[in-house]
Each structure stands twice: as C-alpha cells, then as structure tokens.
Amino acid sequence: MSKKLYFLMITLLVALLAACNTPAEQPAPAAPTETETQTETQPEAEAPASSAEQVNLRVMLVDYIPDVTDVWLEQEVVPAFQEEYPNVNVEFVYVNWGTLDETIQGYFAAGNGADIINLGSEYVAEYGDRLAPLNAQMAEWGELDQFVPATLDTVTWDGEVRGLPWLTAPRAVMCRTDTLTELGFDGAPTTFDEMIAVAEAGTIIENNALVRQGFMADGLLNNWQEYLNIMNSLGAPLYKEDGRPNFDSPEAKAALEFMNARRAAIMPSDTIAGLPEASGSRLATGEVVCRWGNLWGAPATDDPLWENISLSAGFTDGTGEATVQVFNDWLAIPAYSQNQAEAVAFLQFLGSAENMNAYNEQFGSFPPRTDAWFGYVDNPIMQEMGRLMNEQGVGFADVRETAQLRDILVAEIDAYFSGLQDVDTALENINSQYEAVLRDAGRID
C-alpha cells in the first residue's frame, strides 16, 4: 500500500465513520402501521435471461468513496455487467451510517425497497430471516470456497448463505519488537501472563500521565469487542444452545479478569491521565508497545518500520487458541425483492475476484476471497494479516441486539474496572440485563 493511498484511506475512513452526507442519498420509504415480516417461503429465483423484459435493479450502498468507488461502479462495473444482461438497469442508492438502519428498517416495514442492501458485520442476527436464502444459487456459482471462512460467518443465517462479504478488516495484535527486545522480551506475548507483563513493563508514566502504554485495544482498555474475542479464544460462545447469553461461564469470567489485570498494570491509579490525542499511528510514534486492531490504525504497510513490528493472533490463558476477529460489511438480497434472479446475478458479478480486489484496494481493506489477493495485497504485511485471518479468523457476526449489548458491557465493565463492583456482580448484571433484552426482543422465551 503506498503512503499516498494510506493517508487517503485514513481520511476516507474518518469521513465514513462521521456518517458522510451525499447528494445521492435517498430517504427510507414510509412504514405502514403494521410490520409484515418477510419469510423464506418465496419460490426459488429462476436464472435471469439476457433477452427478458427490462428490469430495474436497485442497490443500496453505505460503503463507498464519493467520486471514487461510486464512479467505478457506475461507469465500469455496470456497463460490464450489462454486456451479459442488457435488460437489467442498475440504480445505486447511496446512504451513510447515520441513516443506514432507518433506511433498511423502512424497506422491510414497507416490504419494498432496494434489491441489494449493504449491511454491517453483525447485522445477520437482526435481518437474517428476512433475507433471501441463497445456498442453491451459490452452489451453482461454485465460488464460495474461494472466500475466507470467517467472512462467510457474517453472511450465514439458519444454515443458509444470505449474501456475499464485501469489505473485510481483520483485527490482530501488532507489537513493536524493537521495544520488546529493549524490555527483555523474546517476542510478542501469547499468553495472558505474558501480555500483563508486557503491559506493565512497556508503560511509562511521567507527571501522573501516560507517556507510553504497554497495550491498547483500538484506543481503549475496556474494548467490548475485544472482550468478546477473548471469550471466543477461550472457547466460549456468546450464546448457549437455548439462545441465552453465556456471560455466566468460567471463560467469560477469566477473560474479564484478565482485561482488568492488564488495565491495572497500565493504569495503577484512576487519577493517571491518558495519552495525548493521537497525531498518527501510535505504533509509529512509539506511544504504544502492542495494540489490537486492524491495519487502518497501523503504519502504512510499505513503511520500513514494519521491520520492527510483529503480527500475531493474540493471546489466551494457555489452553485455547487465539482468534482473529474479522469484521465484514456485506451485500444481501431482501426476501421482498421481486428481482431476485437479477440481484443474484449482479451480486455474483460484484463478487468476482477482480471486482473484489479493485473495490477493496480503494479502502486499503482485504478482499474477502483469497484468489483476489493480488496486486496491492501482495505486500508481505497484507499477506501475513491475510494468513492469520484465513487460519484463525472468526467473523464478528450474529451479535443479537448489538447496540444494547454494547451499552450493557461498557457500563458494567467500567464499574468493575473502577472498583465499584466485583467481577461476579459485573457478570451477573451483564447476563441478566442482556437476557432481558433478548427476551423483550422475542429472541428467547
């Protein structure tokens, strides 16, 4: 990845996370008084015929770069697709993260809307049973085996593929090996005890303020997504077989106790001020020894500094296997679509190795299929991160009632970390509150 592309990618990522507004954005359709749930009972879509009557296919996107990927889609991808399907007109609806949920919910409430929709990584739990099942069509396509297994976690619901991964960003542990050597460590930590030791030895406090942190998880020490990943590394699923939450498990307790011990090794007192505002990659500035995150927060992959940065899946208690949390935004076909055959054809066209490579290059992200790892992905850092994702990746998927779970975890973890409650109380609160959320949502009895 060139430095120019790296800084462009960072700028664009900030813009996307700030929910950029675009002139092409369209409002969600008005919802009727009663929501009609779309089911999988619709007949299987027949293959589209190139000589069929005119079809207008609508594609809703939230992952796009204004004047870059939208131009590529409209001026290159669609004309190439229409060479085979001249009867299919493709219209794009561009939205932002701030209006995404409203738009999607409006579509489903009305039973009408875009034929292909762009979803976030964890959305399959929310919309899975209202998306078209695609196992038969994807089996006929015959290219799913090219996709990283963890990316397919994101798009699978009730045993059926519901779409295709679109943008992929794995999270792994990156450590400054030169700093670790100076501190007397042979390499990156692989166990809880080693990570706590690195966190303590690598932290520098001056004038009651952090100057360097031994560890950081995407800027936080209480990162709830990392907590779920550590639970998973210990072999604990998020849900029990009956759908109830699993935060009363020994693994959930071990993961949270480890995170608290690591935090205490870095901040022995809550009066200590944090690091100053970031002015670039904290690995590059030397403000962090090890960090958990994706490559968007790391130095550019062509930076010579990578000679002193290691990549690893992470750490466990010594019994489990560290996992790489894989985030995927993806494209799905709602069951309400009257143009499912054409939508499948366009989805598969977008999902080709060439198109996946061209699209993800603009973001500096990973194509979700391994045969698309050419060109910019030939970079050795990208190759190593891809290998970890392919071998130890677990999709960040099927997180039910995500926003409420996030709020519960952040509040209860903070109360535990600050000494307002012990670990057992924190986990009891998390489990009972989240169970009530799932029950209110009709997900459990």
Side-chain angles (χ1 to χ4, degrees):
M1 186 193 310
S2 68
K3 292 185 179 178
K4 180 178 179 183
L5 176 57
Y6 170 75
F7 286 113
L8 172 62
M9 175 266 300
I10 289 296
T11 302
L12 294 172
L13 175 63
V14 172
L16 287 173
L17 293 177
C20 60
N21 293 314
T22 66
E25 179 183 339
Q26 299 184 14
T33 56
E34 293 186 5
T35 301
E36 296 181 0
T37 301
Q38 302 298 315
T39 68
E40 303 174 3
T41 58
Q42 296 188 4
E44 184 177 316
E46 297 180 358
S50 59
S51 60
E53 63 184 25
Q54 189 70 27
V55 172
N56 292 317
L57 195 67
R58 298 180 69 204
V59 181
M60 184 275 284
L61 293 180
V62 66
D63 290 318
Y64 72 99
I65 302 173
D67 301 322
V68 180
T69 58
D70 52 354
V71 173
W72 170 70
L73 285 164
E74 294 169 12
Q75 297 184 7
E76 296 185 38
V77 174
V78 171
F81 175 72
Q82 289 174 329
E83 290 181 6
E84 185 175 357
Y85 301 101
N87 63 303
V88 180
N89 177 60
V90 181
E91 172 192 356
F92 292 96
V93 180
Y94 299 105
V95 301
N96 60 60
W97 285 106
T99 59
L100 176 64
D101 288 334
E102 177 186 357
T103 301
I104 295 172
Q105 290 164 9
Y107 287 160
F108 284 118
N112 183 39
D115 300 284
I116 296 176
I117 58 176
N118 194 165
L119 298 173
S121 190
E122 72 277 16
Y123 279 46
V124 72
E126 184 68 25
Y127 300 112
D129 58 0
R130 288 176 282 179
L131 302 174
L134 304 176
N135 276 4
Q137 294 93 325
M138 293 303 174
E140 183 177 355
W141 186 41
E143 297 188 25
L144 279 189
D145 60 354
Q146 299 291 341
F147 285 76
V148 173
T151 69
L152 296 179
D153 292 345
T154 306
V155 305
T156 303
W157 181 254
D158 196 23
E160 286 275 352
V161 173
R162 309 287 173 157
L164 285 180
W166 179 233
L167 179 153
T168 302
R171 292 182 180 179
V173 174
M174 298 161 233
C175 292
R176 286 287 299 264
T177 54
D178 52 346
T179 305
L180 289 175
T181 298
E182 292 173 4
L183 295 172
F185 296 96
D186 294 333
T190 60
T191 67
F192 288 174
D193 289 343
E194 290 174 355
M195 182 67 260
I196 293 170
V198 168
E200 182 175 11
T203 297
I204 299 175
I205 300 173
E206 294 179 357
N207 299 320
N208 209 42
L210 287 170
V211 176
R212 185 177 72 189
Q213 284 187 211
F215 176 83
M216 178 179 287
D218 270 357
L220 302 170
L221 293 173
N222 65 342
N223 190 298
W224 67 278
Q225 293 169 332
E226 191 209 10
Y227 174 51
L228 299 185
N229 186 58
I230 295 172
M231 278 181 59
N232 191 59
S233 294
L234 297 179
L238 183 52
Y239 307 100
K240 301 174 184 177
E241 290 185 1
D242 61 3
R244 285 172 169 74
N246 195 36
F247 293 103
D248 56 357
S249 64
E251 295 85 358
K253 182 176 181 178
L256 195 54
E257 287 180 323
F258 157 68
M259 289 181 65
N260 185 47
R262 185 182 60 190
R263 178 204 60 82
I266 295 169
M267 299 190 69
S269 169
D270 290 337
T271 64
I272 297 171
L275 291 173
E277 185 175 347
S279 58
S281 166
R282 293 195 188 274
L283 280 175
T285 61
E287 295 173 291
V288 169
V289 179
C290 293
R291 70 176 289 270
W292 178 80
N294 56 44
L295 289 175
W296 286 331
T301 55
D302 60 355
D303 191 320
L305 185 61
W306 276 100
E307 294 180 5
N308 294 313
I309 299 176
S310 65
L311 271 172
S312 64
F315 26 77
T316 72
D317 62 354
T319 61
E321 180 182 34
T323 56
V324 174
Q325 199 172 63
V326 181
F327 286 77
N328 295 280
D329 290 351
W330 53 295
L331 301 178
I333 300 173
Y336 62 66
S337 172
Q338 299 299 306
N339 305 308
Q340 288 189 20
E342 292 78 12
V344 168
F346 189 60
L347 187 63
Q348 292 173 345
F349 189 81
L350 286 174
S352 71
E354 292 74 16
N355 284 335
M356 286 288 187
N357 179 277
Y359 166 77
N360 279 274
E361 181 176 13
Q362 300 301 327
F363 288 88
S365 50
F366 277 86
R369 50 187 297 167
T370 57
D371 61 348
W373 292 358
F374 54 81
Y376 77 103
V377 195
D378 283 338
N379 176 283
I381 306 305
M382 296 285 283
Q383 288 287 314
E384 178 61 13
M385 181 67 97
R387 183 190 67 79
L388 290 171
M389 172 176 65
N390 198 30
E391 295 178 0
Q392 295 175 250
V394 174
F396 186 77
D398 189 12
V399 182
R400 303 160 197 175
E401 308 303 321
T402 311
Q404 295 182 74
L405 173 60
R406 175 201 61 211
D407 293 344
I408 292 169
L409 287 174
V410 170
E412 297 301 326
I413 290 174
D414 280 350
Y416 167 48
F417 283 4
S418 61
L420 296 177
Q421 61 186 6
D422 60 26
V423 65
D424 292 320
T425 302
L427 291 169
E428 181 180 351
N429 290 343
I430 292 170
N431 218 59
S432 61
Q433 291 174 32
Y434 188 38
E435 185 170 319
V437 167
L438 296 175
R439 185 175 293 107
D440 290 344
R443 294 185 178 276
I444 57 176
D445 297 329

